[in-house]
Amino acid sequence: MTRVSQHFPTDTAGLPESHPPEVLEPGDGGQIELRIAPVAKPISGATVRMLAYNGSIPGPTLRVRQGSRLAVNLINEGDLETTVHWHGLRVENRYDGTPETQRPVAVGESLTSHLQFPDPGIYWYHPHIREDYTQEMGLYGAIVVVPGETDYWPPVNRELVLILDDFLLEDGKAAPFSRTVTTYTAMGRYGNVFLVNGEPCPTLDVKLGEVVRFYLVNTANTRVFHVALHGARLKRVGGDSGRYEREELIDSLLISPSERIVVDARFENPGPVTLVHRTPRQAYLLAVIMVGEEPANPSLAGPFEQLRTNADLAAERDRLGPYLAAEPDRTLALVAEMNLEEPELPSDRLVYTCPMHPAVSRDQPGRCPECGMKLMAAAAATEYVCPMHPEIRSSQADRCSLCGMKLLPARLVEGATGESHHHHPTEHHGPSAAPASPDATGFPGGIEWEDDMVEVNRGTTPANMRWKLIDRATGAEGAAIDWRFRVGDRVKIRLVNEMDSDHPMQHPFHIHGAGRFLILSRDGAVEPNLVWKDTVLIPTGQTVDILLEVSNPGRWMAHCHIAEHHESGMM
């Protein structure tokens, strides 16, 4: 009898090597095929077994026109049953790609979805069964919906899709995935290699003075990207589902898992330009753009300087007054419940510490004063060690004599395996970002930029770490929440990322194709620039009011788009 491994396969023997994604332009009424199958992909000196649509990571970019229709035949030759969710598209409910509304496609089977594209902009597709595994393994691709209006977007010389991702590489393979349970459910799976269109630090070529439209998509399981383009100018023109109310010049942009942002970039000087991810600690190189000497033709310098106000979103703002003043129709709380087992020791031999801030130590249960996280019980430390220089030890929480780092309890340091996520194999280029001031949550901007509790996070599963969505009016949780609306309703929903939670953390909250929404306010401050959304990032401790425009009948899902949070109940 063949023994089935408890982990998904990692062997690359005999697999075809992945290739760059193609652009498919099927036309109205066309049909395409998406085939899921394993591939061998080179990443940072290793060859990794991954999953691909049509042999490429990312999958093919679909380029379709607004108002068109398309049939997509999915063939599953992967590792487990699957679906395809058409993220952000207002499709018919039966093609939404969740097991609630669609039969999963078993290995060896196929299924055809019929799609329509009512809204211009940038969208994407991915599985919705064991999303933590399949999405990390490469099953994602972009959809560009070309507007029906010829002047919907400002003029550009060309357009490029940039899909941002990270990947957790350990010992030349993907960090293990269990077949039966999702891990890393506390914080999600942060990668240690950054990918742009499936490649670590690709190089792109542009012409001098060229204006390029970048469609940015964040497909990472967990990571929020803070993106800047050193050496070029950026103009933000669009978001999840179409254009912004006002175009504006920006220095950087924040994009959480599943969000999309549309920016135009003008390259005014020859030489290298760097695309970077900036955190409060440092900056990471994502890609290099080489600007040549040959000038772009035509020159679009004049149109690039124009910052347009779009009448359709300006009209929406005029309609928002009554909703801003009204109480919410629904209130949804985002909460964590962590139940890690305590060691079987007398209470006088226990110490309670914060996995995020190990210097916080108490002799009684409680919450961390830095971040609000529930303190974890462990055997009291008798020795402290430097994470950077393990030979430096002390009976006190002193500082390392070699590097000055604060010594940590030996159990935290010696229990760790693999590299900390602060030591990415990705080379650190460019100036470090200036340290940001922590807010009341203990994290700059209410966002956790890295995995600061690697071993604790690795060992969390839905059995000991539950993420919850709670209807504050009824107390119902998750799938038991029964909200009923009618097509044409406009519903004000208040989303509260509660600090009274065992692990406060940011959440990218996504609503499937029931409709689209506008952000009304954040902590009572009116949103200054409107754009139609399907995902909103809610930092730790923040309250966000949204206005959902209900346009599609059926049963729809809403969830956190950190894949491990979704898999552990946050839907």
Side-chain angles (χ1 to χ4, degrees), residues 351-374:
V351 64
Y352 296 85
T353 60
C354 176
M356 304 290 290
H357 301 93
V360 174
S361 180
R362 302 286 188 272
D363 59 5
Q364 297 292 328
R367 292 188 182 277
C368 174
E370 298 290 332
C371 66
M373 186 173 181
K374 183 179 180 179

Side-chain angles (χ1 to χ4, degrees), residues 14 34 76 99 157-158 175-176 184 195 230-231 257 348 353 430 441 449 462 479 519 550 567:
L34 285 180
N76 183 13
N157 295 107
R158 60 177 164 142
Y184 293 88
L195 303 175
H230 292 162
D348 62 354
T353 60
T441 67
W449 297 101
I519 300 172
V550 182
E567 293 291 335

Side-chain angles (χ1 to χ4, degrees), residues 538-558:
I538 313 168
T540 303
Q542 192 173 93
T543 296
V544 176
D545 287 346
I546 65 173
L547 186 67
L548 175 66
E549 179 186 78
V550 182
S551 58
N552 281 2
R555 179 174 172 84
W556 301 95
M557 178 185 286

